[in-house]
Amino acid sequence: MEAKSGIEGKVVVITGASSGIGEATARVLAQRGAHVVLGARRTDRLEALAAEIQAAGGSAAFRTLDVTDRDDMEAFVQFALTTFGRLDVVVNNAGVMPLSALEALKVDEWDRMVDVNIKGVLYGIAAGLPVMKGQGFGQFINVSSIGGHRVSPTAAVYCATKYAVIAISEGLRQENTDIRVTVISPGVTTSELAESITDPEAQAGMKSFRSIAISAEAVANSIAYAIDQPEDVEVSEIIIRPTASPY
């Protein structure tokens, strides 16, 4: 089995594919000839998205996925292998962002961010890496954030998880000369992430911040760019944010 160049024909699994960046990435890659495998908890949305892609002539499959469950992540990758026979790219995109000041002590929300934003990425790596090492090629695209480069009030735990994504990705890159590793760090982007904020102060601040949001498709195009490079070219990190962003 040989590595494929570009995007066409590649098998790409995408976590958090039911909305936002994941959904946009599925559309963009399918339009460019990839076989996309969609994973998220909201199966009805996945079904609708896969049907839309297929109706437009693209190739898509879907499976319910909880990235906080390691066995479920393993089954998701195996589903991709069974369906399409190979694994070229894992897009670890699923994330949550319930911002709040630390003194609010929303410990359950801290736990959720650690489980989804850090463990979810690690479980994606654990499921995909043995397959890629066996093939001798593959690519991980791990979605971090500008919050992985700069900490702001109410975002301490969220930013910590996104710093962790960058650290994990860099370690993965250094340890594997045959696997490409890319970090995508979006600035404020149109998505449902802010809907998980329960803290009134953080919610108000985010509403103002999101007034300059870029589209999820813009971020999806950056993911496509990283995948499209020749196999001996690794795009290590892309920071993509609104032109008007002060951060």
Side-chain angles (χ1 to χ4, degrees):
M1 188 183 297
E2 297 181 359
K4 291 180 179 290
S5 298
I7 294 174
E8 186 173 1
K10 283 189 172 177
V11 177
V12 183
V13 304
I14 305 168
T15 72
S18 61
S19 65
I21 292 170
E23 178 183 356
T25 299
R27 286 200 179 95
V28 166
L29 296 180
Q31 287 167 1
R32 297 184 60 173
H35 304 286
V36 294
V37 184
L38 317 174
R41 289 172 301 160
R42 295 177 291 189
T43 314
D44 56 335
R45 290 198 180 191
L46 297 181
E47 185 175 13
L49 177 58
E52 178 187 324
I53 289 170
Q54 291 163 357
S59 175
F62 69 93
R63 186 184 188 281
T64 305
L65 171 64
D66 177 358
V67 298
T68 69
D69 184 326
R70 184 181 174 186
D71 290 340
D72 207 23
M73 191 71 215
E74 291 278 354
F76 179 56
V77 168
Q78 290 303 314
F79 169 72
L81 288 170
T82 300
T83 305
F84 293 114
R86 60 187 290 140
L87 177 68
D88 292 282
V89 185
V90 172
V91 180
N92 284 311
N93 163 72
V96 293
M97 189 184 68
L99 305 183
S100 63
L102 290 171
E103 69 177 355
L105 297 180
K106 292 183 176 287
V107 179
D108 288 347
E109 294 183 357
W110 301 350
D111 288 342
R112 181 67 180 162
M113 282 187 277
V114 169
D115 287 345
V116 175
N117 299 357
I118 300 179
K119 289 184 178 179
V121 171
L122 287 170
Y123 292 165
I125 292 169
L129 188 57
V131 177
M132 293 181 185
K133 296 300 285 186
Q135 295 173 162
F137 62 86
Q139 182 175 15
F140 287 96
I141 299 201
N142 298 329
V143 178
S144 180
S145 167
I146 57 167
H149 297 265
R150 178 185 182 278
V151 180
S152 56
T154 75
V157 178
Y158 176 74
C159 290
T161 66
K162 293 305 187 177
Y163 270 82
V165 170
I166 293 173
I168 291 164
S169 301
E170 176 60 11
L172 182 64
R173 183 194 70 79
Q174 292 181 15
E175 292 174 6
N176 297 278
T177 58
D178 53 348
I179 306 296
R180 298 195 294 170
V181 182
T182 298
V183 176
I184 305 292
S185 294
V188 60
T189 304
T190 302
S191 74
E192 296 180 357
L193 265 184
E195 294 180 11
S196 63
I197 300 175
T198 62
D199 183 79
E201 181 183 351
Q203 198 171 58
M206 182 53 61
K207 185 176 181 179
S208 172
F209 185 56
R210 296 182 77 83
S211 64
I212 58 169
I214 56 175
S215 70
E217 185 178 8
V219 181
N221 286 333
S222 72
I223 292 173
Y225 171 81
I227 296 172
D228 198 29
Q229 300 311 299
E231 293 299 321
D232 62 344
V233 175
E234 178 181 82
V235 178
S236 297
E237 183 172 11
I238 296 174
I239 299 176
I240 177 171
R241 55 189 159 196
T243 303
S245 176
Y247 306 117

